Amino acid sequence: MAHYFEEPSRTFSEYLFVPGFSSKECRHENVDLSAPVVKFKKGENSSIVMNIPLVSAIMQAVSDDKMAISLAKEGGISFIYASQAVESQAAMIKRVKSYKAGFVTSDSNIRPDQTLADILELKSRSGHSTTAVTEDGTAEGRIVGLITSRSYRVSRMPMDTKVSEFMTPFDDLIFAEEGVTLSEANDMLWEHKLNALPIIDKNRRLTSFVFRKDYDSHKENPCELLDGDKRYVVGAGVNTRDYTERIPALIDAGADVLCIDSSEGYTEWQRDTIDFVRGKYGDSVKIGAGNVVEEEGFRYLAEAGADFVKIGIGGGSICITREQKGIGRGQATAVIEVAKARAKYFEETGIYVPLCSDGGIVYDYHMALALAMGADFLMLGRYFSRFDESPTRKLNINGNYVKEYWGEGSNRARNWQRYDMGGETGLSFEEGVDSYVPYAGSLKDNVSLSLSKVKSTMCNCGVLDIPSLHSDAKLTLVSATSIVEGGAHDVILKEQTSSVR
């Protein structure tokens, strides 16, 4: 007969924290929200550690290059959506990796015999206002000049004006020689009041740029998440169909970590995808897998070699998998059970596999609950879709500003690969909806507020980091009546505001 779980599966809203002892050290500024992203051995550290435990969902309506840059500035990671052409996804990765760095390789170059029209076309295509003028128009050519937005006036110059006529010639450039340190280069930027400093080798070839905006950005965003070359960290989704083509392209583009995007991860298709990565790249390429909701699924993916495991089926606000197929589990129960499986696996193998809770977050305090229950970090879709930085349109509906938000299983997304069971291509029925979410403003302001609440909860629990939250948090189930008691009740509110985050 079928196997029955004795306990009902529960959601985050059915739990509350019970306070622990708070010492004088339990203050917001002392809370460490860093989180490991990929597996590591006992006594070692994860090779990728986020500064905040938030990642954005692998969704068309959430994670593009703009979102990736904004979230990396705050210390998290975006997983750029996979339901697009390989070339398009790789281009997004490249834009993120080239946006911020200490030493930036020039990918906007032009010859001196080209024209103002060519400059404007290049600027439109790349978004860069600083262009190196080299003899052959390549990044490796001998530099002969430099063009910035102050080098020309479109309204007063013919489009066929030669670059050589309005560029700043090499003899007038302030530059640094190859071997200069980033600190020294930044000092030169400030000393000479420059926006960009070319770095030149002994053969007068341009090796890179150092930009003032990168220095300013770092000071404004102390938690920003950078790789070893001081570029923003970015993730990418992959599917179990075209991974042999997609994964090499994403790695070449600079993706730091991959994640298999699937509604259900306890499948042979996921093992095949992980086997491809291990066979081609060994452990140098990091890839997460999922989604699962119980021990067997976690164990299968951990033994297959997944670098992290994602938890959750049917808990997303736009997901109707449970309605359509009757598949899933309450998110709180799923996280608790998989975390127990992870602890058992760690005890047996000495390998810690980070867990990502995906779905079920409605209120900010749910973030703290998911972390306390064993998640190392959280994947959020609806939460990030509400912000200026998401790729969807902001609309005014009946006097209220909203943003579009649709599921990857909706007919709008047509991401059949996410729900692939090895058969014909295409969606035979929807597992996601097309919707709106209330517009919430900027990512930075909202993330700061949400994490302030998480820190406050942790201080009330008497813990200062996520591992301590895992081990020391005290949780209690609540009744339906106590849920009502927890909100405003038996009063007439002067002003009704939403507490949904």
Side-chain angles (χ1 to χ4, degrees), residues 178-377:
E178 190 177 25
V180 66
T181 67
L182 184 58
S183 177
E184 292 169 340
N186 282 323
D187 287 343
M188 291 183 67
L189 285 171
W190 286 95
E191 179 183 351
H192 297 284
K193 298 180 175 61
L194 303 173
N195 290 323
L197 179 71
I199 311 299
I200 310 295
D201 70 12
K202 60 183 180 181
N203 296 314
R204 218 176 88 178
R205 297 182 186 278
L206 177 68
T207 64
S208 59
F209 279 109
V210 175
F211 292 100
R212 176 193 288 262
K213 66 179 178 64
D214 291 348
Y215 178 86
D216 293 340
S217 176
H218 178 67
K219 294 302 180 184
E220 293 171 4
N221 302 285
C223 288
E224 63 183 357
L225 190 59
L226 307 176
D227 65 16
D229 295 319
K230 297 187 180 298
R231 302 175 300 176
Y232 284 135
V233 172
V234 61
V238 299
N239 61 61
T240 57
R241 277 278 180 161
D242 64 5
Y243 57 87
T244 58
E245 173 190 2
R246 188 175 295 271
I247 289 176
L250 298 178
I251 296 304
D252 288 345
D256 296 280
V257 58
L258 307 175
C259 183
I260 301 173
D261 180 31
S262 176
S263 65
E264 204 277 294
Y266 189 12
T267 74
E268 193 170 1
W269 311 110
Q270 296 226 356
R271 179 180 283 275
D272 289 346
T273 306
I274 297 170
D275 285 346
F276 169 79
V277 170
R278 298 293 172 246
K280 186 174 179 66
Y281 301 101
D283 291 328
S284 64
V285 169
K286 308 302 181 182
I287 182 167
N291 288 15
V292 299
V293 292
E294 44 75 53
E295 179 178 2
E296 290 182 7
F298 167 80
R299 173 74 65 158
Y300 180 81
L301 293 178
E303 292 177 347
D307 285 294
F308 65 86
V309 172
K310 201 143 63 76
I311 306 167
I313 296 177
S317 61
I318 41 65
C319 183
I320 54 174
T321 293
R322 297 180 193 176
E323 292 181 14
Q324 294 284 56
K325 299 195 300 188
I327 295 290
R329 200 175 195 188
Q331 188 67 8
T333 297
V335 173
I336 292 168
E337 292 300 315
V338 174
K340 290 178 181 177
R342 188 263 307 281
K344 182 178 177 182
Y345 184 80
F346 179 62
E347 184 178 349
E348 294 174 3
T349 66
I351 297 173
Y352 185 92
V353 180
L355 299 179
C356 172
S357 176
D358 177 16
I361 302 294
V362 180
Y363 303 102
D364 287 338
Y365 81 91
H366 289 172
M367 295 182 183
L369 282 169
L371 295 171
M373 290 171 180
D376 295 279
F377 57 98

Side-chain angles (χ1 to χ4, degrees), residues 457-468:
T457 297
M458 291 172 65
C459 288
N460 287 146
C461 293
V463 300
L464 295 176
D465 56 40
I466 293 173
S468 298

Side-chain angles (χ1 to χ4, degrees), residues 80 86 92 101 123 132 171 179 189 254 321 364 373 459 468 474 488 501:
I80 291 179
V86 173
M92 287 187 181
K123 182 179 179 180
D171 290 343
L189 285 171
T321 293
D364 287 338
M373 290 171 180
C459 288
S468 298
K474 294 182 290 186
R501 285 287 164 195

Side-chain angles (χ1 to χ4, degrees), residues 429-483:
F429 57 89
E430 288 186 284
E431 293 189 46
V433 299
D434 196 346
S435 64
Y436 301 113
V437 290
Y439 168 67
S442 74
L443 179 148
K444 186 178 184 67
D445 291 343
N446 281 276
V447 166
S448 177
L449 176 60
S450 295
L451 294 183
S452 177
K453 294 179 184 180
V454 172
K455 290 179 179 180
S456 184
T457 297
M458 291 172 65
C459 288
N460 287 146
C461 293
V463 300
L464 295 176
D465 56 40
I466 293 173
S468 298
L469 187 65
H470 287 169
S471 61
D472 298 343
K474 294 182 290 186
L475 303 175
T476 181
L477 277 169
V478 294
S479 68
T481 304
S482 65
I483 292 175

